[in-house]
Amino acid sequence: MAIEVTMPQMGESVVEGTIAKWLVKEGDRVAEDQSLCEISTDKVDTEIPSPAAGVIAKIVAAEGETLPVGAVLATIEQSAGAAVATPAPEKREAAKPVPAEAARPKLEPVRRPEIREARAAVEQPEASAPAPAPAAEKPPKVTPLAKPAAAPGEHRRYSPVVLKMAAEHGIDLDRVPGTGIGGRVSKRDVLKYLESLGQPEARPAPSSRPQPAVAPLTVPSAAPRLAPAPSATPSVFHPPVYEPREGDIVEPFTRRRKLIAEHMVYSKTHSPHVGTVAEVDVTRALALRQAHKAEFERREGFALTFLPFVAAATVRGLKEFPRMNASVANDALVIRKQINLGIAVDTEEGLLVPVIKAAEGMSVVGLAREIERLRRKVEEKTITADDLSGGSFTLSNPGREGNLFGLAIINQPQVGILRMGEIKKRPVVIEADGADALAIRSLMYLALSYDHRVIDGVLGNRFLFRVARIIEEADFEL
């Protein structure tokens, strides 16, 4: 009997996974719960166990292929004789090329749009040209300018933008002095050349009436010669791509790094980020931590850091300002009942944000235990997708070593993220016995980034001020 191995559901927000590596091959005998392949998702990497003992009859999904939850990855034949014998593979080999061919085209759409445009631009002239050496393919891109550009003895190369401007304004690029590398003509050089021609010659170019003056060049481009056409080109910006040189180290993006990059870009382009910073006097809170540090470590088995104190103050602040504990859903703000506090953790493969569920019912000690538990799971690489999903607000602690303050990017669809700075001792003016006095205090900056679509400046500042006051008063139970 054949059993299908499918892509499992690895968290409430995980909808697909990528086959990172197959640990078995067709014909291998596997035991129940034996690891078959490594799966990479936007949350976590994991291994897929075998649902039963048998022989790998067929591997459907290829390495690098991204499949939705429930998709078939492989089939296992429980009948060892049927799987090992020759008739069974012949039965399945007829269908074998189909998934292989279906898998490969899925990688094709990854090509960048500019590559497709460049390829189309090269292939179109080849239909009319006799297709000589590869070097001759570039001049036919703009046929009206091919003859004038090839007239001089020296070989000059022009960018598509320069060629289009030359066609629009009917100018000979051999007469334009180039200021780029190797005398290359840039867009700025063309603009300067047009200015040097004066207004009488520059004005007729966009109009269709004076066509007879430059018939060979203006007739092909007369139709698209509208005022918006030149301005439409600069709106499509393609950043320059650095070409690696000898000695450079090229590190391709991992799937997790790609997804992190996409998530960060999406957050910055969809949420208008506003940042505000508060200076917090943490002297009392540090003294409270120091007083209970030894007893806590003896009782719990791990060190008491300052992070649980800030987490407890953040949770109390979210209770008092519930609109900060919210998520954006299309054109609505969902104020969440449960406070699920995400704690950003740095790893070798990128940032992870495990979530403390139902943090509103935890004390400083309870939060410290949860933070330590999640930290160990990240360190041991046993963190699950459920541990990383469902957050309603995020707290980030980049650590020491020059981290004064910084504004973090919001973790969508949340509306805010709080970032801790380094604790430093500074001389400050305080009031003692009704008089000003100079004292040495431990200070830290807290930086809040919030989504200005749904959070106004007054609310953001009030929330940050309240969290800072809770920390300064050090009203915590241990």
Side-chain angles (χ1 to χ4, degrees):
M1 182 180 69
I3 297 178
E4 293 183 339
V5 181
T6 60
M7 179 72 71
Q9 178 72 49
M10 294 172 286
E12 59 182 0
S13 62
V14 178
V15 296
E16 63 181 13
T18 300
I19 306 295
K21 181 182 180 182
W22 277 103
L23 306 177
V24 296
K25 60 182 181 296
E26 292 184 2
D28 285 356
R29 188 180 300 277
V30 296
E32 186 175 358
D33 294 331
Q34 177 181 340
S35 297
L36 300 180
C37 62
E38 296 177 357
I39 301 295
S40 176
T41 71
D42 59 342
K43 297 292 185 183
V44 69
D45 296 342
T46 186
E47 295 180 352
I48 301 300
S50 175
V55 175
I56 302 296
K58 184 179 183 181
I59 293 179
V60 178
E63 290 186 0
E65 186 176 357
T66 300
L67 299 170
V69 171
V72 178
L73 306 181
T75 57
I76 297 176
E77 186 64 49
Q78 284 188 303
S79 175
V84 177
T86 53
E90 288 178 2
K91 235 173 139 185
R92 298 183 177 272
E93 275 184 356
K96 192 170 184 178
V98 177
E101 292 175 2
R104 291 191 186 107
K106 291 184 180 179
L107 301 177
E108 293 297 328
V110 180
R111 295 175 178 169
R112 294 172 55 186
E114 56 265 35
I115 297 177
R116 292 198 299 268
E117 294 173 4
R119 178 170 294 180
V122 174
E123 290 174 354
Q124 286 177 2
E126 288 179 355
S128 57
E137 291 180 359
K138 299 211 169 184
K141 286 183 182 177
V142 184
T143 50
L145 295 176
K147 292 180 180 179
E154 60 173 336
H155 177 69
R156 306 182 73 182
R157 299 175 59 187
Y158 308 102
S159 67
V161 174
V162 171
L163 290 173
K164 183 173 182 179
M165 292 178 66
E168 292 288 341
H169 296 278
I171 61 176
D172 185 357
L173 290 177
D174 287 329
R175 300 181 182 178
V176 180
T179 60
I181 299 176
R184 187 166 184 172
V185 178
S186 65
K187 178 182 175 181
R188 186 179 303 174
D189 297 330
V190 177
L191 293 175
K192 286 184 178 180
Y193 181 77
L194 290 173
E195 291 176 2
S196 66
L197 296 179
Q199 292 297 329
E201 284 187 60
R203 282 178 182 171
S207 175
S208 59
R209 294 181 181 176
Q211 285 182 359
V214 280
L217 292 176
T218 55
V219 170
S221 58
R225 190 179 302 157
L226 300 174
S231 61
T233 302
S235 63
V236 181
F237 174 71
H238 297 294
V241 179
Y242 175 75
E243 293 293 336
R245 301 179 180 179
E246 185 178 356
D248 294 349
I249 299 176
V250 179
E251 294 183 357
F253 278 6
T254 62
R255 174 173 169 78
R256 183 182 297 177
R257 177 52 58 188
K258 288 180 183 178
L259 292 168
I260 291 175
E262 292 173 2
H263 188 75
M264 294 297 99
V265 171
Y266 175 86
S267 183
K268 288 294 287 186
T269 55
H270 283 71
S271 294
H273 283 55
V274 177
T276 181
V277 182
E279 187 179 58
V280 187
D281 187 346
V282 298
T283 306
R284 291 183 180 179
L286 286 180
L288 179 64
R289 168 181 171 267
Q290 188 64 30
H292 294 82
K293 182 178 178 181
E295 174 62 21
F296 180 91
E297 187 170 356
R298 184 190 63 79
R299 185 179 71 245
E300 301 293 336
F302 60 92
L304 177 62
T305 66
F306 193 63
L307 181 59
F309 293 89
V310 181
T314 303
V315 170
R316 285 171 60 179
L318 293 173
K319 287 181 182 179
E320 297 180 21
F321 298 92
R323 286 181 65 87
M324 296 297 302
N325 186 58
S327 295
V328 176
N330 297 325
D331 294 332
L333 178 67
V334 181
I335 301 175
R336 303 176 63 167
K337 178 181 179 181
Q338 193 175 64
I339 298 177
N340 295 337
L341 185 64
I343 305 293
V345 178
D346 186 33
T347 69
E348 294 180 358
E349 299 180 3
L351 195 68
L352 290 179
V353 186
V355 178
I356 301 174
K357 307 292 176 62
E360 69 275 6
M362 298 183 185
S363 63
V364 174
V365 176
L367 289 169
R369 290 170 180 165
E370 272 299 291
I371 292 172
E372 177 64 16
R373 183 183 72 85
L374 293 172
R375 186 196 66 79
R376 286 180 180 175
K377 293 189 74 173
V378 170
E379 186 179 275
E380 297 167 359
K381 297 184 178 180
T382 58
I383 197 81
T384 65
D386 287 331
D387 294 327
L388 302 169
S389 60
S392 59
F393 192 88
T394 300
L395 176 62
S396 177
N397 179 27
R400 303 183 183 180
E401 299 177 357
N403 167 39
L404 189 61
F405 68 86
L407 298 171
I409 298 178
I410 299 169
N411 190 9
Q412 297 294 324
Q414 301 169 21
V415 299
I417 180 171
L418 194 62
R419 187 181 189 275
M420 298 169 57
E422 181 180 359
I423 300 175
K424 284 183 172 292
K425 289 185 177 183
R426 298 190 185 93
V428 296
V429 177
I430 62 171
E431 187 175 336
D433 299 329
D436 292 339
L438 194 63
I440 303 298
R441 310 291 289 182
S442 296
L443 302 178
M444 178 185 69
Y445 288 108
L446 275 182
L448 172 68
S449 299
Y450 58 89
D451 190 340
H452 210 3
R453 292 179 299 175
V454 291
I455 303 298
D456 295 328
V458 174
L459 175 58
N461 288 330
R462 289 178 62 194
F463 167 76
L464 181 60
F465 178 83
R466 181 59 183 141
V467 173
R469 293 293 81 79
I470 293 172
I471 297 174
E472 289 185 344
E473 293 168 2
D475 185 16
F476 302 108
E477 293 183 3
L478 291 176

